[in-house]
């Protein structure tokens, strides 16, 4: 009887443990509640959260997470569809700001958004299927300005990358030779909107800036804007951020490296800090969008499966036959179809990849 009692207790403990682990997995239906109180909402206000998980099981180490920050007038739920296809291997978490905005200087909201993001990062790191060292932030416009605030003000090392789209640093965030944060409430009537406390961003983060020279909302070359903040130039802002991450060379100047669709890349620290200058106004073109999953290393595709040309899970005879049947033909564009090594022609290196990865593709 005692043995049965012990076994029953162990079984109950096992069930509780399994339930606990399951409860700690981030899912589409997970409820993340972060409530903050401030002058506009003294009784407290809870940020709405939208979550979208990748298909399939989590990789070893857990899913990377990208926190999406909408532009002024938007909401978290509306940002999910655009980036679900762009970042298929990331868990996406999209909060909505108070009155559809984020507090930078002259917005409708004066909410403590940076504090909320800090709490959100900490909560996300606790889920069993999340990679706690690969939490990212991607902000657009007003959300980009908040992403820049978080880059400066948040010291959690698990936040490893920030993407700021069509909004660079304001003069509040960087002035008098130093980065700054507000010590209290921001205000358009205060010097530098209230950003009065020097703050050095932590090292060890990657940063991507996407801005356009013909942006009609945020001036690419810096200056006053219609959103109630004054900006420094986008190239200078990226250079200053690169310095916080260890870059000690000169600022990169025009024309930059062309990468397609009128987009030019300025690369610091071997891709650790990157600025893209494009022609897409207050938005992104295809080249700029596709650079985001590349920068965030969204999916790591095994070479064996790249050689699996017919997607049957095996590198075998049918894949070899396809290479031989197209032997000597050009690939347009290079890297498409059977051109596995990307040199623009079907030849020996492509055959070598088929033979080198012969057999079963790995799972994942």
């Amino acid at each position: 009887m005692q043995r049965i009692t012990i076994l029953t207790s162990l079984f109950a403990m096992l069930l509780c443990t399994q339930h606990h682990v399951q409860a700690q997995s981030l899912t589409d239906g997970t409820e993340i509640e972060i409530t903050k109180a401030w002058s506009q909402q003294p009784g407290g206000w809870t940020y709405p959260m939208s979550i979208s998980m990748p298909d399939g099981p989590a990789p070893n180490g857990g899913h990377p997470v990208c926190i999406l920050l909408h532009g002024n007038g938007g909401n978290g739920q509306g940002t999910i569809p655009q980036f679900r296809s762009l970042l298929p291997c990331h868990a996406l978490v999209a909060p909505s700001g108070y009155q559809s905005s984020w507090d930078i200087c002259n917005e409708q909201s004066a909410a403590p958004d940076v504090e909320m993001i800090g709490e959100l990062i900490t909560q996300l790191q606790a889920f069993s299927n999340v990679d706690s060292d690969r939490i990212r932030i991607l902000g657009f416009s007003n959300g980009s300005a908040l992403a820049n605030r978080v880059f400066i003000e948040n010291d959690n090392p698990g936040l490893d990358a920030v993407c700021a789209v069509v909004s660079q640093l304001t003069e509040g965030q960087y002035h008098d030779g130093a980065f700054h944060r507000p010590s209290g409430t921001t205000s358009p009537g205060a010097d530098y909107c209230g950003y009065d406390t020097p703050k050095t961003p932590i090292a060890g983060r990657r940063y991507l800036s996407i801005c356009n020279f013909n942006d009609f909302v945020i001036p690419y070359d810096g200056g006053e804007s219609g959103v109630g903040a004054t900006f420094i130039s986008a190239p200078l802002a990226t250079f200053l951020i690169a310095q916080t991450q260890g870059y000690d060379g000169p600022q990169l100047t025009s024309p930059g490296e062309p990468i397609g669709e009128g987009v030019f890349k300025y690369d610091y620290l071997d891709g650790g800090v990157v600025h893209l200058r494009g022609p897409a106004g207050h938005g992104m073109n295809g080249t700029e969008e596709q650079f985001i999953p590349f920068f965030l290393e969204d999916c790591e595709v095994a070479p064996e499966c790249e050689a699996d040309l017919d997607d049957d899970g095996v590198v075998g005879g049918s894949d070899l036959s396809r290479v031989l049947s197209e032997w000597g033909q050009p690939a347009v564009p290079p890297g498409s179809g059977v051109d596995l090594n990307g040199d623009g022609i079907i030849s020996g290196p492509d055959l070598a990849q088929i033979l080198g990865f012969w057999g079963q593709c790995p799972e994942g």
Side-chain angles (χ1 to χ4, degrees), residues 92-140:
L92 303 180
V93 179
S96 293
Y98 181 69
Q99 296 194 8
S100 301
S101 66
W102 307 109
D103 177 38
I104 306 300
C105 178
N106 193 38
E107 289 73 25
Q108 294 294 317
S109 173
D113 299 318
V114 174
E115 291 181 17
M116 179 274 293
I117 294 296
E119 292 183 21
L120 176 58
I121 292 171
T122 300
Q123 288 195 31
L124 291 171
Q125 289 174 315
F127 288 103
S128 61
N129 60 340
V130 162
D131 187 336
S132 62
D133 294 322
R134 298 178 69 195
I135 309 295
R136 290 78 190 272
I137 288 181
L138 190 158
F140 179 85

Side-chain angles (χ1 to χ4, degrees), residues 36-45 98-99 103 107-112 184-186:
K36 308 298 291 184
W38 70 101
S39 59
Q40 293 170 305
Q41 287 288 333
W45 183 79
Y98 181 69
Q99 296 194 8
D103 177 38
E107 289 73 25
Q108 294 294 317
S109 173
T185 304
T186 63

Side-chain angles (χ1 to χ4, degrees), residues 26 29-36 45-51 93 95 115-116 119-120 123-124 127:
L26 184 66
T30 297
E31 294 185 3
I32 298 178
E33 293 190 0
I34 299 178
T35 301
K36 308 298 291 184
W45 183 79
T46 301
Y47 287 82
M49 298 277 177
S50 295
I51 300 172
V93 179
E115 291 181 17
M116 179 274 293
E119 292 183 21
L120 176 58
Q123 288 195 31
L124 291 171
F127 288 103

Side-chain angles (χ1 to χ4, degrees), residues 80-325:
I80 294 286
Q82 175 185 5
F83 293 101
R84 179 69 284 161
S85 60
L86 201 62
L87 296 172
C89 293
H90 274 71
L92 303 180
V93 179
S96 293
Y98 181 69
Q99 296 194 8
S100 301
S101 66
W102 307 109
D103 177 38
I104 306 300
C105 178
N106 193 38
E107 289 73 25
Q108 294 294 317
S109 173
D113 299 318
V114 174
E115 291 181 17
M116 179 274 293
I117 294 296
E119 292 183 21
L120 176 58
I121 292 171
T122 300
Q123 288 195 31
L124 291 171
Q125 289 174 315
F127 288 103
S128 61
N129 60 340
V130 162
D131 187 336
S132 62
D133 294 322
R134 298 178 69 195
I135 309 295
R136 290 78 190 272
I137 288 181
L138 190 158
F140 179 85
S141 191
N142 180 219
S144 175
L146 178 58
N148 287 330
R149 279 198 63 180
V150 175
F151 180 89
I152 296 167
E153 300 176 37
N154 182 280
D155 290 335
N156 189 323
L159 175 60
D160 73 324
V162 171
C163 299
V165 181
V166 295
S167 185
Q168 66 268 26
L169 296 175
T170 68
E171 285 189 354
Q173 293 166 335
Y174 186 89
H175 59 87
D176 296 330
F179 290 85
H180 286 76
R181 64 173 178 82
S183 60
T185 304
T186 63
S187 171
D191 290 342
Y192 297 111
C193 286
Y195 289 73
D196 55 3
T197 304
K199 175 68 174 73
T200 301
I202 67 169
R205 279 187 184 149
R206 305 178 71 231
Y207 181 86
L208 171 63
S209 163
I210 299 177
C211 295
N212 298 304
F213 64 83
N214 60 345
D215 194 322
F216 54 89
V217 177
I218 308 298
Y220 180 84
D221 293 320
E224 296 182 359
S225 71
V227 301
T230 302
F231 292 83
I232 64 176
S233 77
L236 175 59
T238 309
F239 169 65
L240 293 170
I241 286 172
Q243 289 183 316
T244 71
Q245 303 306 302
Y247 179 73
D248 59 3
Q251 180 181 342
L252 301 179
T253 58
S254 294
E257 176 190 348
I259 61 172
E261 292 190 273
V263 179
F264 293 83
K265 180 176 72 169
Y266 301 80
D267 187 329
Y268 296 94
L269 299 170
D270 296 323
V273 177
V274 176
H275 171 57
L276 300 185
R277 172 175 61 89
H282 198 62
M284 289 188 289
N285 63 20
T287 297
E288 292 168 327
E289 284 190 341
Q290 290 303 318
F291 194 86
I292 292 173
F294 170 78
F295 180 80
L296 293 181
E297 300 172 339
D298 178 66
C299 291
E300 297 179 3
V301 180
E304 291 88 343
C305 290
E306 291 179 351
D308 179 21
L309 299 172
D310 61 0
D311 295 323
D312 65 353
V314 176
V315 180
S318 62
D319 307 304
L320 175 61
S321 297
R322 184 172 172 188
V323 169
L324 295 178
S325 68

